[in-house]
């Protein structure tokens, strides 16, 4: 619980906003509960609300889910699933691997975490999301329309996770610099598609740096 508390507090306003959005979109409150418990897709769940209310074809929903969550494929390359015991534990750990779990479990201080600690961390984050989404759906009608800033909670949460990740780099200044330059270039070149452009540029820069360092001759 201690490991998950910081991120869990960030989940609360997000879940409340999501639950309120579900009911305000004309869906029953239990849609928020099912989505939070079964989909557990964060940003995709917000997108899914509009797709459900618009009766979007299932194929389009599946394609959107793939595009939004394709990053999890790359997460699996370094996620410590090998430290999770049992088939059931591995299945649940894979199912509940989200951005926040990845950020917490791949850091320096998490390298000695046991299987139980990783699974309990994921369970509590899952519980935070389901509980806050349910509360938001049940209390959504009580939230005044003048309340603003709930949508910024996701950005703030990722900012904090990024800062924590930078601190574990131990002097690796080029990585955050590459990220900033990629965002700036995407903003200037593709302002309408800044996020995917920035991701593409940053990935290309990391690959180029990796290949360059790999080809450098090593001296004894």
């Amino acid at each position: 619980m201690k490991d998950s508390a910081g991120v869990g507090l960030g989940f609360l306003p997000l879940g409340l906003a999501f639950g309120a959005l579900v009911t305000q979109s004309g869906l029953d409150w239990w849609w928020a509960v099912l989505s939070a418990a079964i989909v557990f897709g964060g940003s995709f769940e917000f997108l899914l609300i509009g797709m459900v209310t618009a009766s979007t074809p299932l194929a389009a929903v599946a394609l959107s889910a793939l595009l939004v969550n394709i990053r999890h494929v790359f997460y699996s390359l370094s996620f410590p699933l090998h430290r999770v015991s049992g088939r059931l534990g591995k299945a649940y750990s894979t199912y509940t691997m989200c951005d926040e779990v990845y950020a917490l479990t791949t850091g320096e201080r998490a390298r000695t975490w046991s299987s139980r600690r990783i699974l309990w961390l994921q369970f509590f984050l899952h519980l935070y999301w389901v509980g806050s989404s349910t509360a938001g759906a049940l209390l959504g009608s009580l939230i005044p329309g003048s309340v603003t800033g709930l949508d910024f909670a996701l950005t703030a949460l990722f900012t904090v996770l990024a800062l924590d990740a930078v601190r574990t780099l131990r002097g690796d200044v080029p990585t955050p610099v590459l990220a900033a330059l990629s965002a700036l270039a995407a903003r200037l070149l593709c302002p309408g598609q800044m996020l995917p452009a920035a991701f593409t540029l940053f990935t290309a820069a990391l690959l180029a740096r990796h290949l360059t360092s790999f080809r450098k001759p090593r001296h004894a």
Side-chain angles (χ1 to χ4, degrees):
M1 179 172 284
K2 181 181 178 181
D3 296 330
S4 65
V7 174
L9 291 176
F11 271 21
L12 295 181
L14 289 176
L16 291 173
F18 172 70
L21 183 60
V22 167
T23 55
Q24 292 174 4
S25 299
L27 299 174
D28 293 328
W29 67 271
W30 48 265
W31 274 94
V33 183
L34 286 180
S35 177
I38 299 176
V39 179
F40 195 52
S43 55
F44 176 69
E45 290 184 62
F46 282 89
L47 176 63
L48 185 62
I49 297 174
M51 303 182 79
V52 170
T53 55
S55 300
T56 304
L58 186 59
V61 174
L63 179 61
S64 299
L66 175 65
L67 294 176
V68 172
N69 294 321
I70 191 67
R71 65 191 185 280
H72 290 183
V73 174
F74 301 97
Y75 287 170
S76 65
L77 299 178
S78 53
F79 181 73
L81 188 64
H82 60 282
R83 283 195 266 125
V84 178
S85 304
R87 292 185 178 181
L88 185 60
K90 289 182 182 294
Y92 182 74
S93 184
T94 302
Y95 173 67
T96 54
M97 184 186 67
C98 57
D99 302 286
E100 295 78 11
V101 167
Y102 178 81
L104 292 173
T105 57
T106 56
E108 181 71 24
R109 67 187 184 93
R111 292 185 177 180
T112 59
W113 286 4
S114 64
S115 173
R116 288 174 58 86
R117 189 167 181 174
I118 294 174
L119 287 172
W120 275 112
L121 168 73
Q122 294 183 266
F123 172 77
F124 277 119
L125 290 180
H126 197 185
L127 185 64
Y128 288 140
W129 182 246
V130 175
S132 58
S133 298
T134 303
L138 296 175
L139 303 175
S141 59
L142 302 179
I143 300 177
S146 59
V147 174
T148 59
L150 290 177
D151 54 340
F152 185 72
L154 183 61
T155 303
L157 178 60
F158 279 116
T159 300
V160 172
L161 292 174
L163 290 174
D164 287 339
V166 169
R167 291 192 184 101
T168 64
L169 293 177
R170 292 187 175 181
D172 185 14
V173 178
T175 299
V177 171
L178 284 176
L181 292 176
S182 299
L184 179 60
R187 179 68 178 86
L188 296 175
L189 299 176
C190 308
Q193 298 291 331
M194 179 181 172
L195 188 59
F199 280 157
T200 302
L201 291 173
F202 184 53
T203 302
L206 291 177
L207 288 174
R209 187 181 69 172
H210 174 72
L211 292 176
T212 302
S213 61
F214 181 77
R215 292 175 181 175
K216 286 183 179 179
R218 298 180 178 179
H219 302 283

